[in-house]
Amino acid sequence: MLVSLEIKNYAIIQHVNIQFGKGLNIITGETGAGKSILVGALGLALGNRADTKVLYANDEKCVVEAVFEISQYNLKPFFEDNDIDFEQKTIIRREITANGKSRAFVNDTPVTLEVLKSLAEKLINLTSQHETQQLNKENYQIDILDAVAANETLLFNYKTAFNLYKATLKKIANLKTEQEQLQKDYDYNQFQFDEIANANLDNINIDEIEQELNSLNNAETIQAKLISVVKLLDEDDINTLQLLNEAYTQLKEIAKFNKEFEALAERINSSIIEIEDLKSEAQTIANQTEFDEEKIEMLTETLNAAHKLMRKHNVDSIADLMQLKNDFEAKLLSFNNNTNQLNKLEKEAESQEQDVKLLAQKLHESRMQAGKNAKKEIEATLAKVGMPNAVFEVSINAKQDYTSTGNDQVQFMFNANKGFALQPLNKIASGGEMSRVMLSIQALLAKNTALPTLIFDEIDTGISGETAAKVADVFTSISTKHQLIAITHLPQIAAKAQHHLFIYKSENEGKTATKIALLNEEKHITAIARMLSGEKISEESLSNAKQLIKS
């Protein structure tokens, strides 16, 4: 529950420190004293948007600090998940500097507004006149129905499935866009790949091909010259080998006289062996060399194809050309992979869509039952607050499209008078009727939610007399299970207060400031009497106030 609220330098509040208790806390006060400003300040502590215009003194920072007793609300997992120290008395603080910077803390740990709002949703439910207008919005009505139905887990599972389905549909859309472009380029890429692949240029060496072509084109000359070399080395009357053999013989004959001659002989012998090798290799090449027109044509075609493709693709080597071929092949494979992935995702989407539909159907069934329960409970509360003939219905129809809350179209239907056709709540209910409908809904939610603190900001607008007394009874009933903080202008409701806070204005150094006081029993009676009769309090009004409080 909310234990205290300290506000510094906010709007017309210089500094107040408010203590709250269990049960029914009532806030009353002078017109314009700042009752709703308290709610605005609390909203800051709960993560609402900050504005430097709210500063009481422009050269000082605004600080709002709310203390909550949370030991009974199973919030340790939230604190652990967000790396915040858990304290049974948790302190939420919001600071707004004069230059507009905003900071938020939970137990002195800096937190984001998103974390702050998430925590606030678990601690407080604020209902105001603005909230009454929210009641006309479909999403708000669905939220109410889900709260009554205790659909938190089911709704979480549905949203998880729905978000997964939407993410898959987005992937499919992106892949289809990509696939369309790949499809446009597919024929081009296939042609380019085939042209390079069909040229059979893998692992060829242009220099070697050019050398081989040069040899083939000059085969007769090469063969003739090689045969001439063979003759010079060994076949002419006077040839190289014959002369070397004679030199070798001469040196061997004198080798016995000096080792140097033996060495010379061995060197000549090595030359003889080398020249014989040369002769043999020249003979072999000469025998193998012949004019091969078919091979020349084949090599010429390969060489021309290579040069043509290199010029076409503006590359300098066969290696670059092969890299291009691999690139074209990768694009073709990408198209095929995209197709396979697209087929896989479409099957996944079909399965996910079935999950979404199944969970949406469960939500629909749960809401239908909750709608019946809501009708019964709300009509009973409306009867208590002076509308015994009011009829309330929850209309739930299935939509074609699915959203983050399912495919239900929810509409609260109402008529204050039995026997008349039901119409949407926003088209038929007056301000006072709307306030009582909202109160009835909050009374229902109080039975179905674990929120420790409920705040009603003048939702009793348009109510008076006997109806106000019955509304007060509803407030009292709610406060037996929840801490209820209500801002009201009705004495019948204020009289029920277990803790009565009175807001008033005072002047400080020529500047108006809001003050707040917790009233004792005597001042509580006086405040009720003033609400009954105005500023002039008579013995009769005091007596009426005591009677109202006693009743």
Side-chain angles (χ1 to χ4, degrees):
M1 73 172 194
L2 179 61
V3 177
S4 65
L5 179 66
E6 185 173 13
I7 306 166
K8 296 178 182 178
N9 201 42
Y10 177 81
I12 59 172
I13 298 174
Q14 185 178 32
H15 182 203
V16 296
N17 194 325
I18 313 165
Q19 303 297 313
F20 297 97
K22 293 181 180 180
L24 183 57
N25 295 259
I26 293 295
I27 299 174
T28 64
E30 301 170 0
T31 301
K35 295 189 290 296
S36 292
I37 290 174
L38 287 179
V39 176
L42 181 60
L44 278 184
L46 302 178
N48 289 352
R49 187 177 177 181
D51 189 342
T52 54
K53 293 177 182 178
V54 302
L55 299 183
Y56 179 84
N58 292 329
D59 56 347
E60 297 177 19
K61 68 180 177 181
C62 166
V63 179
V64 180
E65 188 170 281
V67 179
F68 291 88
E69 166 59 57
I70 64 169
S71 58
Q72 303 298 315
Y73 306 122
N74 194 30
L75 291 176
K76 277 189 178 181
F78 177 89
F79 282 74
E80 290 170 359
D81 290 345
N82 291 282
D83 199 22
I84 304 170
D85 291 335
F86 176 82
E87 300 289 347
Q88 291 188 4
K89 280 197 174 179
T90 281
I91 301 173
I92 293 175
R93 187 171 78 257
R94 184 85 179 277
E95 298 179 355
I96 304 162
T97 62
N99 61 8
K101 289 185 179 179
S102 168
R103 297 192 300 169
F105 303 85
V106 175
N107 294 333
D108 286 329
T109 299
V111 296
T112 64
L113 288 187
E114 183 180 359
V115 171
L116 188 61
K117 286 179 179 178
S118 296
L119 177 59
E121 288 172 358
K122 303 176 188 302
L123 298 175
I124 281 185
N125 181 13
L126 171 61
T127 303
S128 63
Q129 294 181 61
H130 170 68
E131 205 82 4
T132 304
Q133 296 169 5
Q134 289 281 95
L135 183 56
N136 294 322
K137 297 181 179 180
E138 183 181 358
N139 285 344
Y140 188 77
Q141 294 181 358
I142 290 176
D143 289 344
I144 290 172
L145 207 54
D146 283 333
V148 173
N151 278 343
E152 184 177 0
T153 300
L154 180 56
L155 191 59
F156 174 82
N157 293 338
Y158 170 82
K159 286 183 176 179
T160 301
F162 178 76
N163 290 336
L164 182 63
Y165 174 57
K166 293 292 285 185
T168 302
L169 290 182
K170 186 176 181 180
K171 288 179 184 177
I172 289 172
N174 291 339
L175 268 179
K176 282 184 174 179
T177 301
E178 188 178 335
Q179 192 77 337
E180 286 174 5
Q181 187 58 46
L182 288 172
Q183 179 70 64
K184 291 176 184 177
D185 297 338
Y186 186 84
D187 291 340
Y188 170 81
N189 292 329
Q190 186 70 61
F191 175 81
Q192 301 299 336
F193 171 79
D194 290 343
E195 186 179 38
I196 298 175
N198 293 337
N200 296 316
L201 301 178
D202 303 68
N203 303 318
I204 71 164
N205 187 306
I206 287 182
D207 292 338
E208 290 178 358
I209 290 177
E210 288 178 338
Q211 184 176 320
E212 187 175 0
L213 269 174
N214 202 23
S215 296
L216 287 170
N217 284 323
N218 296 279
E220 292 180 1
T221 301
I222 292 168
Q223 192 176 50
K225 295 297 181 183
L226 287 171
I227 291 171
S228 176
V229 168
V230 171
K231 286 180 179 181
L232 287 170
L233 293 174
D234 193 28
E235 294 180 4
D236 287 348
D237 292 340
I238 300 174
N239 58 68
T240 303
L241 281 173
Q242 181 183 354
L243 293 173
L244 286 171
N245 279 319
E246 287 180 6
Y248 176 73
T249 301
Q250 296 295 331
L251 286 170
K252 286 296 286 183
E253 287 178 359
I254 62 173
K256 59 187 176 183
F257 302 122
N258 192 317
K259 288 184 177 180
E260 289 184 6
F261 303 144
E262 178 69 28
L264 288 172
E266 288 302 320
R267 288 170 66 184
I268 287 177
N269 189 50
S270 294
S271 296
I272 292 169
I273 292 170
E274 179 66 21
I275 289 171
E276 283 181 342
D277 261 358
L278 287 170
K279 181 201 75 171
S280 177
E281 191 170 339
Q283 185 64 62
T284 300
I285 294 173
N287 293 339
Q288 292 175 347
T289 300
E290 61 180 7
F291 183 77
D292 187 339
E293 187 174 354
E294 185 177 335
K295 190 170 185 180
I296 289 172
E297 185 178 342
M298 181 190 73
L299 291 175
T300 301
E301 287 179 359
T302 299
L303 195 62
N304 289 340
H307 284 301
K308 179 182 177 182
L309 288 170
M310 286 192 291
R311 285 195 304 272
K312 175 180 178 179
H313 295 288
N314 195 27
V315 295
D316 300 322
S317 67
I318 293 295
D320 292 338
L321 208 54
M322 291 302 100
Q323 182 59 52
L324 269 178
K325 186 188 81 165
N326 293 338
D327 292 344
F328 287 125
E329 184 177 27
K331 290 176 181 178
L332 294 172
L333 288 173
S334 179
F335 176 82
N336 294 328
N337 290 338
N338 265 31
T339 301
N340 294 335
Q341 191 177 358
L342 195 55
N343 292 336
K344 180 183 176 183
L345 283 174
E346 285 175 341
K347 288 180 181 177
E348 287 180 8
E350 288 177 9
S351 174
Q352 291 165 1
E353 184 181 18
Q354 292 307 311
D355 292 340
V356 168
K357 288 182 176 180
L358 178 62
L359 289 167
Q361 180 59 31
K362 289 182 178 179
L363 275 173
H364 175 76
E365 292 168 2
S366 176
R367 288 166 179 165
M368 289 294 289
Q369 184 58 50
K372 293 176 183 177
N373 296 339
K375 170 183 171 60
K376 181 179 176 182
E377 295 278 347
I378 289 171
E379 286 182 350
T381 304
L382 286 171
K384 291 179 184 177
V385 295
M387 299 177 70
N389 296 318
V391 179
F392 180 89
E393 294 275 2
V394 180
S395 171
I396 306 175
N397 296 302
K399 296 185 292 187
Q400 199 70 24
D401 298 327
Y402 290 80
T403 67
S404 59
T405 57
N407 69 325
D408 286 328
Q409 185 173 24
V410 174
Q411 178 73 66
F412 286 178
M413 309 295 288
F414 177 77
N415 201 301
N417 303 298
K418 189 178 292 186
F420 288 86
L422 291 170
Q423 294 186 44
L425 186 62
N426 63 320
K427 292 184 177 180
I428 192 169
S430 65
E433 290 169 344
M434 188 72 84
S435 294
R436 281 179 276 180
V437 171
M438 174 58 89
L439 176 61
S440 301
I441 289 171
Q442 290 300 327
L444 174 61
L445 289 175
K447 291 183 179 180
N448 292 276
T449 60
L451 280 172
T453 300
L454 302 173
I455 298 179
F456 291 168
D457 181 12
E458 295 190 349
I459 70 162
D460 49 17
T461 300
I463 296 170
S464 60
E466 183 62 28
T467 299
K470 292 177 179 178
V471 168
D473 289 338
V474 175
F475 276 30
T476 302
S477 176
I478 294 173
S479 68
T480 59
K481 294 183 179 179
H482 301 265
Q483 181 191 44
L484 175 57
I485 300 170
I487 297 174
T488 185
H489 62 282
L490 296 176
Q492 294 92 334
I493 293 175
K496 299 286 187 179
Q498 292 170 274
H499 314 278
H500 188 165
L501 296 158
F502 183 75
I503 296 180
Y504 60 97
K505 289 185 289 187
S506 69
E507 283 195 11
N508 181 25
E509 297 179 355
K511 191 172 183 180
T512 301
T514 289
K515 301 288 184 180
I516 190 162
L518 177 62
L519 303 183
N520 58 24
E521 183 178 358
E522 182 181 349
K523 290 182 178 179
H524 172 53
I525 293 169
T526 302
I528 301 302
R530 184 176 288 109
M531 294 175 77
L532 287 168
S533 63
E535 286 301 317
K536 292 183 179 180
I537 300 175
S538 63
E539 286 298 325
E540 185 180 357
S541 62
L542 284 172
S543 176
N544 289 339
K546 290 176 183 178
Q547 184 61 36
L548 190 60
I549 293 169
K550 185 178 180 181
S551 65

